[in-house]
Amino acid sequence: LLLASGVTGSGSVGEGVSDHTLQSMVYDTTGVTDMAALAGVSMSFSLSPVEPDVASQYVSSRSGPLAQYGPTLIAFIRHPSSLGPPEAVDVEVWVNPVTKAGEAHVSIVLMRPTCSSARVHLEGSRLMQRGSMRLSCSRDREIMDFAIAELDHWFGKLGAKRISTRSPVAMNHFAGSCALGRCASPTTLRVSGTTNIAVADASLLPEQVWGHPALTLTALGYKAAEVLTGVLV
């Protein structure tokens, strides 16, 4: 919207846009002898129609695949050389319950991209991108490769083997296109070079949130309302 309106933020609008990167793998679990160790990770489950035993499990104990909406978080991974406090993880790992018997579908997300970003700009009416937000630098690829190796080790100890790996895709958690301190004022949220245009969304984030951004953006919205009440008068 800023670019389409001709607002450039002194040339900084659209710089340094980042995203969380998703990669998915499938593990063959037919060689696992201790299936209890997978705790239902590789059970066959269909939403259409829902299998009778799965429906009965939910009705009787409110447990099983129907007790959740979507993926189940199983782990966080941090590269040994990563900086920051102990809670600063690099990769989030989850499994999807909707799968085939004898397989475990696992997804990982790079939560702290270190150097993968892009510049977005307009060419006519088309939004274009220079650079890539998905594993475009060696450090981010190293972190994801380490996470996959850790999963291979964990599943391998159970007798499972990775049989496919999909290419990285976007999570659509875009951030940083008008970051605080670079494009927007930290005290007024006004876009650089303007007097009456402010930003109050994920564009403000200087870097990615280490988790799903929904709650952070809710808090940002409340704080932005407080700030803007005092400055846009």
Side-chain angles (χ1 to χ4, degrees):
L1 181 60
L2 292 175
L3 291 171
S5 301
V7 178
T8 65
S10 301
S12 57
V13 172
E15 288 276 4
V17 184
S18 65
D19 187 18
H20 292 144
T21 298
L22 169 71
Q23 215 167 349
S24 298
M25 290 81 66
V26 177
Y27 286 85
D28 180 351
T29 61
T30 55
V32 177
T33 55
D34 181 13
M35 290 307 294
L38 291 181
V41 165
S42 64
M43 69 184 291
S44 177
F45 173 57
S46 171
L47 288 172
S48 181
V50 174
E51 297 169 4
D53 59 335
V54 170
S56 297
Q57 180 182 1
Y58 179 75
V59 170
S60 63
S61 64
R62 293 296 189 268
S63 64
L66 290 180
Q68 65 173 31
Y69 298 93
T72 299
L73 176 68
I74 60 170
F76 291 107
I77 298 175
R78 175 185 171 121
H79 192 279
S81 65
S82 290
L83 302 177
E87 66 273 15
V89 297
D90 295 312
V91 174
E92 184 177 283
V93 185
W94 70 74
V95 294
N96 194 323
V98 184
T99 183
K100 293 170 57 179
E103 292 183 354
H105 292 216
V106 183
S107 295
I108 62 174
V109 176
L110 179 64
M111 306 307 292
R112 282 204 300 169
T114 63
C115 43
S116 297
S117 64
R119 175 184 174 85
V120 295
H121 63 284
L122 285 179
E123 290 186 6
S125 60
R126 296 184 61 192
L127 188 65
M128 307 296 289
Q129 174 181 315
R130 293 196 187 110
S132 175
M133 303 176 218
R134 291 184 285 284
L135 308 185
S136 60
C137 63
S138 59
R139 173 60 179 172
D140 289 347
R141 291 192 294 270
E142 178 187 9
I143 292 172
M144 289 291 267
D145 288 344
F146 174 79
I148 293 173
E150 288 290 282
L151 288 172
D152 287 348
H153 174 69
W154 296 341
F155 277 92
K157 288 176 66 176
L158 297 174
K161 181 180 180 180
R162 177 161 49 98
I163 56 176
S164 75
T165 306
R166 294 182 179 177
S167 299
V169 297
M171 281 291 287
N172 299 325
H173 294 167
F174 304 112
S177 57
C178 189
L180 284 171
R182 184 178 70 235
C183 172
S185 166
T187 55
T188 67
L189 305 186
R190 288 191 179 102
V191 178
S192 177
T194 73
T195 58
N196 62 347
I197 301 175
V199 175
D201 63 9
S203 306
L204 287 175
L205 299 175
E207 58 186 32
Q208 277 294 340
V209 179
W210 308 343
H212 195 286
L215 293 179
T216 298
L217 296 181
T218 300
L220 187 153
Y222 281 119
K223 183 61 179 178
E226 179 183 316
V227 172
L228 296 177
T229 298
V231 299
L232 291 183
V233 292

